[in-house]
Amino acid sequence: MYPPTPNPPYPVSGQGVVHGPVPRFDPTLEGWAGQWAGTAVLGPTDGDGEGCEPAARRPLRLGDPGLVQAALSAGLPEAERSRALQLLGLSPRTDVRAVAVVVCEPGLLQRALDGCAERLGGRESAPTTAHAAVLWPTVGAVLLPGSAAVPRQAEPGPAHTAMGVGPATGPQQLPDSWAQARRAARFAGLGPTWPRAVVAEDLGALALLADFPASTALAHPDVGAVARLGCGPDGEQALATLEAVCRSSSLREAAKILCLHHSAVAHRIRRIERILRVSLSDAHGRQRVQTALLLWQLNAPGNWRDERGSSQHGGPHSF
C-alpha cells in the first residue's frame, strides 16, 4: 500500500475530508512519491468565498490529484488502486466515466475542469471535488457517474479546451476508460466540424489513427501533401475547406459549415485538387484525403492536445 509516513495516519471525516496532507502520486515513479499535497484542488469556496480560510490552510478534500491519478493508473498494483477508489468514495458496483480535459495553457485548466463538470454532469449531478483533479499543468481528469448524460452533438464549448469522454466502466476498469478518454481528447476541436467534447464510443475505428506513431504518419506522402497545403498561402483556410468537404454529404452542406456561398467553396476545391493531385468528387479520393488530413491534424507540430513524449510530465500515458 502506501510507503511509511513520518506521522500517524490522518483521520478522514464522514464528509470525506482529510484533516492533513494527502500523498501525491508522481507519474514518473512506480509508487507513491514522498511528496504531500499542500492545496485543495478544484474545490468550490465556502459560501460566497468571503471570510474563508486560505486554500493552503483548509482541510484537503479527497479530490487530491494523487488519489485520482492512482485510480486511473494501470501501472499500480490493484491493492493501491482499490485503496484510492475507496478514499474517493467510489463503489465497486457503480459505473464511472473518466473524462480527460486538455487545455493549451496551464492558466485555463481550472476553469475548464469546472466547466466540464457542469456541462457533462449537470449542476445537480456534477462531480464533487473528490472526483476531479489537475494531473499536469495542462491536463486534468473528471470522474463522472456512468449514468451522466454525455454530448452527442457538436457544442461550442470553451475555446482552446479539448474534452475526451471515456466509456462507462466499473471503477476497477477506470484505466481503460481514461486511456480512451485521452485518445478521444486528441480529436476534440481539431477543425470546424469537430466538437470540443468527443465521446470515445462515437469515434469507432477512427480512434486507431491516434495510435499511429507520429514519425510514420508524417512521413507518408499524402500527409506531407496536406502539410504543404496547410503551410502555403491561406493554408488554414484551405485545411478548413478540405475538412468541411470531406465530412459533408454535399457541397452546399460544406458551404453552410464554412459560412460561404457554394460557388466560393467550389473555387477553393478546384485549387486544393490541383495542389493535392487528388479528385474530391469521388468517394475514394475524399476518403484518402480525409485520412491524410486527420493524420496531419493529430500529429502536426504544436498540437497541444497531444503530450506524447513529454519529458517534463512523464507523458499523459505514463501511469
Side-chain angles (χ1 to χ4, degrees):
M1 299 292 286
Y2 300 152
T5 62
N7 299 307
Y10 295 97
V12 179
S13 73
Q15 286 74 40
V17 177
V18 178
H19 296 290
V22 178
R24 174 174 293 165
F25 182 77
D26 187 331
T28 65
L29 303 179
E30 292 297 326
W32 290 91
Q35 305 175 37
W36 304 102
T39 58
V41 178
L42 196 62
T45 58
D46 298 326
D48 58 4
E50 296 182 1
C52 296
E53 294 179 83
R57 288 181 290 189
R58 290 201 304 268
L60 287 171
R61 297 183 182 275
L62 292 179
D64 180 81
L67 294 176
V68 175
Q69 194 163 343
L72 299 175
S73 173
L76 278 183
E78 186 175 341
E80 290 191 20
R81 288 202 297 111
S82 296
R83 175 62 172 163
L85 291 168
Q86 180 183 4
L87 290 174
L88 287 168
L90 296 176
S91 167
R93 296 180 295 275
T94 303
D95 284 350
V96 184
R97 288 181 187 271
V99 181
V101 181
V102 187
V103 295
C104 64
E105 297 178 3
L108 302 174
L109 185 55
Q110 190 78 39
R111 180 172 294 182
L113 281 168
D114 285 324
C116 172
E118 183 174 338
R119 287 176 60 212
L120 301 187
R123 186 171 296 275
E124 295 183 358
S125 61
T128 66
T129 51
H131 302 103
V134 174
L135 302 182
W136 296 284
T138 59
V139 180
V142 177
L143 305 184
L144 288 172
S147 59
V150 295
R152 295 293 176 182
Q153 301 178 19
E155 300 180 23
H160 308 299
T161 300
M163 286 183 282
V165 184
T169 65
Q172 287 294 347
Q173 286 73 49
L174 265 177
D176 180 63
S177 181
W178 171 248
Q180 294 191 51
R182 282 292 292 121
R183 189 181 292 114
R186 293 187 58 202
F187 291 84
L190 274 181
T193 67
W194 285 98
R196 293 197 178 101
V198 173
V199 181
E201 295 103 318
D202 293 345
L203 283 174
L206 286 178
L208 297 176
L209 295 178
D211 295 333
F212 255 77
S215 57
T216 301
L218 296 177
H220 195 278
D222 283 359
V223 179
V226 171
R228 289 191 294 274
L229 176 67
C231 294
D234 300 319
E236 185 176 344
Q237 181 187 89
L239 293 185
T241 302
L242 187 60
E243 180 185 322
V245 170
C246 289
R247 287 172 57 87
S248 300
S249 58
S250 68
L251 182 63
R252 292 183 181 275
E253 183 181 343
K256 184 177 180 180
I257 292 172
L258 297 168
C259 299
L260 294 171
H261 192 272
H262 62 87
S263 61
V265 176
H267 174 74
R268 290 187 184 181
I269 290 174
R270 288 192 292 271
R271 174 178 172 270
I272 291 171
E273 288 178 329
R274 287 196 300 271
I275 295 173
L276 297 183
R277 298 181 180 180
V278 175
S279 173
L280 297 177
S281 61
D282 67 273
H284 173 73
R286 286 195 303 274
Q287 185 179 48
R288 176 181 166 183
V289 170
Q290 184 180 4
T291 303
L293 175 63
L294 263 177
L295 287 171
W296 166 248
Q297 290 172 320
L298 289 167
N299 297 285
N303 181 2
W304 49 267
R305 298 165 187 81
D306 182 21
E307 291 189 357
R308 289 180 299 178
S310 169
S311 57
Q312 181 181 0
H313 307 119
H317 304 293
S318 63
F319 65 95

